[in-house]
Amino acid sequence: MNKKIKNLIKESGIAFGTSGARGLNTQFTKEVCAAFTVAFIHAMAGDYKFKRVALAMDRRPSSLFMAQACAGALEALGYDVHFYGVLPTPALALQSMSDGVPAIMITGSHIPFDRNGIKFYRPDGEITKADELAIMADEATLPAFSLAELHERSAAKERYLQRYTGAFSNKLFSGFRIGVYEHSAAGRDLNRAIFEALGATVVSLGRSDTFVPIDTEAVSDADKEKALDWIKEHQLDAVFSTDGDGDRPLLSDEKGIWLKGDVLGILCANAVAATAVALPINANSAVDSVGFKRVERTRIGSPYVIAGMETLAQTTTGIAGYEANGGFLCGDGLTLGETPLAALPTRDAILPALAVLAKARLEKTALSHLVNRFSTRYTASDRLQNIDSKKVSAVLAKWIATPNLAMTDLSLAAELHSVNTLDGLRLTLKNQDVVHIRPSGNAPELRCYTESNTAEKADALLCFVMAQLPRYS
């Protein structure tokens, strides 16, 4: 077709968000998928030598077609494709890093059903913002290619399973009943296998043949009710789930209360003996009182958290990272049980759930009791969907320039203490309540985060601000 890659990508309207390239299913044509793939390989070829590329996907109906297009482009360039089928993103990353090859994951994570995305991994971890710019600016011409025939391999699933089952006794969870909310999660069968291998009784819940966009940062009221009902109906000790591609966890305690992702992050960092943590600006500030030697705050998104981890690694060991959505990133020097944990600098969902449940089990205490040890601050979050992104950007620019205008427009009565514009607009009030507003980086959504000294106040503040935001979106 003799068309430049950068023009194909630009004309598609697809852009990189906080985690990969995201867009509508209709935007990911065969040629656009191939263009991203070829540009990614060109970006990697300058720094690494490799003859094959790892590939996997989530359960979205559009994912298979996109995987075939990416594989076809790779084969046209002369690379072998190791296709691992439907797989959690962290399992693909673990395999590709172990093999020292690049990887491509077809997934839209938690975003709506009519969208999808592509995540890219260097042989040593997630791509950088510089890599993203290089992909978007590739001047090469797209080569001729065809959709590939895919043949699934099992090695990545086996490696991921061993990473977590090898750390504990196979009787760790003997007598423990855990519900796995499977929906359409890529790792639903692997999650079951991991808990069963450690002795747990697993109850399958909510398995779906259609895609379910679970957002671990904005848990729906329906899913909150499901957890409460499942705990009672099946006499469960916990309920575990993930988003679509298995890099963001959702874990309930024995009462059926979903844990906030950033609280789970604190608990996990403690459980794996982290001494320093990197986390985004919207994460619960209770982390400051836990006793970690260093806490590095970053913009929202795993590439920024990874950069924060790299900064910490210059002066210390025992480094972890996590996000408000619960995804946990494993640096060097951490342990799971008595076992050294190999670094995996990309979000993972099973690690925080497993580490925290194991800690509660070994200490013979309830998960809710562990949570209460660190619950000095409370957060809440929600989102407006299908916003007018241009209108929101204009309003937010005015608020950032004049924070007191934001206070007035949002009818916030308390006095303003400080402002942080690292990522969006974060207002800290004199009573220490926090309101943080930020457009999503990969969907037409406006996210709002609040923080206070009680859960009730955080929830009430969130409801109040969310009621004001539609006027400005």
Side-chain angles (χ1 to χ4, degrees), residues 241-265:
S241 190
T242 74
D243 64 342
D245 69 320
D247 67 350
R248 304 180 185 199
L250 196 56
L251 179 68
S252 90
D253 64 16
E254 75 284 357
K255 300 175 183 177
I257 305 299
W258 295 116
L259 276 63
K260 298 291 185 183
D262 44 10
V263 171
L264 183 60

Side-chain angles (χ1 to χ4, degrees), residues 146-213:
S146 302
L147 294 180
E149 184 176 345
L150 300 174
H151 303 282
E152 185 175 336
R153 297 168 181 261
S154 62
K157 293 177 182 177
E158 294 165 1
R159 184 183 294 273
Y160 192 64
L161 184 67
Q162 179 58 36
R163 173 179 173 85
Y164 294 118
T165 58
F168 297 105
S169 161
N170 60 8
K171 296 182 180 179
L172 173 67
F173 290 117
S174 179
F176 189 86
R177 292 177 59 82
I178 184 165
V180 175
Y181 178 18
E182 298 179 340
H183 57 92
S184 53
R188 61 191 185 188
D189 298 322
L190 266 172
N191 296 332
R192 166 185 279 275
I194 289 170
F195 281 110
E196 287 183 337
L198 296 174
T201 297
V202 178
V203 179
S204 175
L205 302 166
R207 193 178 183 95
S208 174
D209 291 329
T210 58
F211 190 82
V212 180

Side-chain angles (χ1 to χ4, degrees), residues 119-137:
K119 292 182 179 179
F120 302 97
Y121 285 86
R122 303 165 64 96
D124 56 359
E126 294 189 13
I127 62 171
T128 65
K129 291 298 177 183
D131 293 328
E132 291 178 3
L133 292 174
I135 290 170
M136 299 292 282

Side-chain angles (χ1 to χ4, degrees), residues 67-129:
Q68 290 173 318
C70 293
L74 290 168
E75 291 176 353
L77 294 176
Y79 292 95
D80 291 331
V81 178
H82 282 202
F83 177 62
Y84 296 106
V86 174
L87 191 72
T89 296
L92 175 68
L94 179 67
Q95 181 69 32
S96 69
M97 282 185 260
S98 298
D99 291 342
V101 301
I104 297 174
M105 178 70 186
I106 309 300
T107 180
S109 186
H110 65 282
I111 60 177
F113 180 79
D114 62 341
R115 297 170 180 272
N116 211 328
I118 310 177
K119 292 182 179 179
F120 302 97
Y121 285 86
R122 303 165 64 96
D124 56 359
E126 294 189 13
I127 62 171
T128 65
K129 291 298 177 183

Side-chain angles (χ1 to χ4, degrees), residues 260-267 282-285 322-326 379:
K260 298 291 185 183
D262 44 10
V263 171
L264 183 60
I266 294 173
L267 292 173
N282 65 321
N284 192 314
S285 62
Y322 64 85
E323 297 186 84
N325 55 43
T379 60

Side-chain angles (χ1 to χ4, degrees), residues 131-457:
D131 293 328
E132 291 178 3
L133 292 174
I135 290 170
M136 299 292 282
D138 194 313
E139 292 277 358
T141 299
L142 187 68
F145 73 100
S146 302
L147 294 180
E149 184 176 345
L150 300 174
H151 303 282
E152 185 175 336
R153 297 168 181 261
S154 62
K157 293 177 182 177
E158 294 165 1
R159 184 183 294 273
Y160 192 64
L161 184 67
Q162 179 58 36
R163 173 179 173 85
Y164 294 118
T165 58
F168 297 105
S169 161
N170 60 8
K171 296 182 180 179
L172 173 67
F173 290 117
S174 179
F176 189 86
R177 292 177 59 82
I178 184 165
V180 175
Y181 178 18
E182 298 179 340
H183 57 92
S184 53
R188 61 191 185 188
D189 298 322
L190 266 172
N191 296 332
R192 166 185 279 275
I194 289 170
F195 281 110
E196 287 183 337
L198 296 174
T201 297
V202 178
V203 179
S204 175
L205 302 166
R207 193 178 183 95
S208 174
D209 291 329
T210 58
F211 190 82
V212 180
I214 297 290
D215 187 344
T216 62
E217 272 188 282
V219 182
S220 68
D221 290 338
D223 283 335
K224 291 177 183 177
E225 288 297 323
K226 285 177 183 176
L228 294 170
D229 292 341
W230 285 332
I231 288 284
K232 294 177 182 178
E233 179 183 354
H234 300 286
Q235 296 297 293
L236 303 174
D237 296 295
V239 179
F240 172 65
S241 190
T242 74
D243 64 342
D245 69 320
D247 67 350
R248 304 180 185 199
L250 196 56
L251 179 68
S252 90
D253 64 16
E254 75 284 357
K255 300 175 183 177
I257 305 299
W258 295 116
L259 276 63
K260 298 291 185 183
D262 44 10
V263 171
L264 183 60
I266 294 173
L267 292 173
C268 183
N270 179 263
V272 298
T275 60
V277 293
L279 64 156
I281 188 66
N282 65 321
N284 192 314
S285 62
V287 66
D288 296 321
S289 61
V290 171
F292 296 117
K293 291 180 180 179
R294 289 188 60 188
V295 175
E296 183 81 10
R297 295 279 185 170
T298 75
R299 290 183 63 186
I300 297 168
S302 56
Y304 301 110
V305 175
I306 290 169
M309 293 170 67
E310 291 171 349
T311 297
L312 292 172
Q314 296 173 9
T315 57
T316 189
T317 58
I319 299 160
Y322 64 85
E323 297 186 84
N325 55 43
F328 197 88
L329 300 96
C330 178
D332 289 317
L334 305 182
T335 58
L336 185 62
E338 300 298 323
T339 305
L341 195 59
L344 182 59
T346 192
R347 283 193 305 251
D348 196 2
I350 192 68
L351 173 59
L354 182 60
V356 171
L357 288 172
K359 184 176 180 64
R361 188 73 169 170
L362 293 170
E363 293 187 6
K364 298 180 180 180
T365 190
L367 180 53
S368 62
H369 294 169
L370 286 185
V371 173
N372 290 338
R373 291 181 193 175
F374 300 100
S375 295
T376 57
R377 296 286 289 172
Y378 298 84
T379 60
S381 62
D382 203 349
R383 58 181 174 165
L384 288 178
Q385 296 178 288
N386 302 313
I387 62 169
D388 181 334
S389 296
K390 290 184 178 180
K391 179 179 179 181
V392 166
S393 295
V395 170
L396 198 58
K398 290 180 181 178
W399 287 351
I400 289 174
T402 312
N404 282 324
L405 176 62
M407 296 287 291
T408 300
D409 288 346
L410 297 174
S411 301
L412 295 172
E415 291 185 60
L416 181 62
H417 177 265
S418 61
V419 178
N420 187 306
T421 58
L422 178 63
D423 198 341
L425 177 65
R426 188 174 179 87
L427 305 169
T428 299
L429 313 182
K430 285 196 173 179
N431 63 4
Q432 295 306 302
D433 285 354
V434 175
V435 175
H436 186 172
I437 299 167
R438 170 187 171 273
S440 170
N442 49 42
E445 298 174 352
L446 181 62
R447 292 187 177 271
C448 178
Y449 313 91
T450 59
E451 183 174 315
S452 191
N453 58 5
T454 71
E456 293 75 16
K457 288 182 180 179

